[in-house]
Amino acid sequence: MSLKFDHYAVMGNPIAHSKSPMIHTAFAKQTGQNIQYDALLVNNFTEAVSEFKKNGGKGLNITVPFKQQAWELVDIRSKRAEKAGAVNTIYFDQQGHLIGENTDGIGLVRDLTINHKAKIAQQRVLILGAGGAVRGVLEPILAAAPAQCVIANRTVAKAEQLAQLFDHKIIASSYEGLKNHSFDLIINGTSASLQGALPPLADGLLAEGAWCYDMMYAKTATLFMQWAQQQGAIKVLDGLGMLVEQAAESFYLWRGVKPDTQPVIKQLQS
Ligand code: ATR
């Protein structure tokens, strides 16, 4: 049986709220690609991937809570995925091997530097959190050559592990340890916004003209975004652009065509 469309999907649990089907369907329409993209609620991840492949599926996005499991499952990891410790994009090579990529970090860096014309090079960058989401974006951020990259986390040992993993190009800190330091760009990579919480941030962390970015997005400004505004950030951004940019990179890996992300970001904002 031959499929009318090339089949792609995002796997996660929960998945109902995922914007990926809408984003990829918009990319496909815009670039004239014949694809079908579904959101699949998955319990047994390994079985679900094997079933998807058996049925002729071409590629997958992976979201919470399966990104680390996907990293373990794939046969070949890209350099970016290897360091990220997580895979958010899978495709199959001609021999049927599972290739794992991670497009989250490139999505974040593109949203900042291309969509918003932010500077990372030579800037003092502070990243909040040291979980999977932060590890996933560190390589592309460091590749953008910040003057300094500090990671603050409640559990300092986790920030120290990341510093070690990234050859001490990162400085690990507690939140208290940030006092008397200031930064040009602060990125919130904690899951605090999901719980309606805010990491314990002191006043005065923002340098003159600083930008703040929450990797989360919500209909209304997150607590971190509200804090950033109160602290005088000149630009406060959420992670919607990152979501669309990481999807665009996955789409490019699968289809070899780069979609225009701007209309899709605008559609999601409206
Ligand atoms: P994710 O995949 O989203 O990164 P994770 O690996 O569980 O999820 O990591 C969550 C991150 O958010 C951690 O850095 C966590 O801090 P700890 O390592 O100290 O637990 C951070 N985090 C979660 N809730 C937080 C809160 N209310 N305040 C500060 N940091 C928080």
Side-chain angles (χ1 to χ4, degrees), residues 231-245:
Q231 295 288 318
I234 60 159
K235 196 91 161 185
V236 180
L237 301 165
D238 71 14
L240 190 71
M242 172 180 171
L243 176 77
V244 177
E245 292 298 334

Side-chain angles (χ1 to χ4, degrees), residues 7-8 45 69 79 87 110 121 126-127 140 150-152 165 221 230 246 258 265:
H7 194 192
Y8 297 85
F45 178 67
Q69 217 179 316
K79 191 166 157 269
V87 156
R110 283 194 188 145
L126 169 63
I127 303 178
V150 176
I151 293 198
L165 187 68
Q230 284 153 12
Q246 64 78 28
K258 276 190 201 262
I265 292 173

Side-chain angles (χ1 to χ4, degrees), residues 112 116-125 182-186 204-213 228-229 231-237:
L112 273 164
H116 297 286
K117 313 276 181 273
K119 243 181 94 177
I120 298 178
Q122 302 305 319
Q123 302 294 292
R124 291 161 296 175
V125 176
S182 59
F183 299 90
D184 307 300
L185 171 62
I186 304 184
L205 290 176
L206 274 64
E208 181 86 37
W211 289 44
C212 289
Y213 193 104
Q229 214 99 50
Q231 295 288 318
I234 60 159
K235 196 91 161 185
V236 180
L237 301 165

Side-chain angles (χ1 to χ4, degrees), residues 192-232:
S193 299
L194 278 180
Q195 314 141 16
L198 182 69
L201 296 165
D203 289 336
L205 290 176
L206 274 64
E208 181 86 37
W211 289 44
C212 289
Y213 193 104
D214 199 333
M215 283 166 55
M216 298 280 158
Y217 62 89
K219 282 211 162 65
T220 52
T222 64
L223 280 183
F224 171 74
M225 292 168 75
Q226 294 171 35
W227 173 86
Q229 214 99 50
Q230 284 153 12
Q231 295 288 318

Side-chain angles (χ1 to χ4, degrees), residues 68 129-134 153-155 158 175 189-192 195 197-200 216:
Q68 277 86 8
V134 167
N153 199 40
R154 274 187 318 202
T155 317
K158 277 164 75 180
Y175 285 106
T190 71
S191 52
Q195 314 141 16
L198 182 69
M216 298 280 158

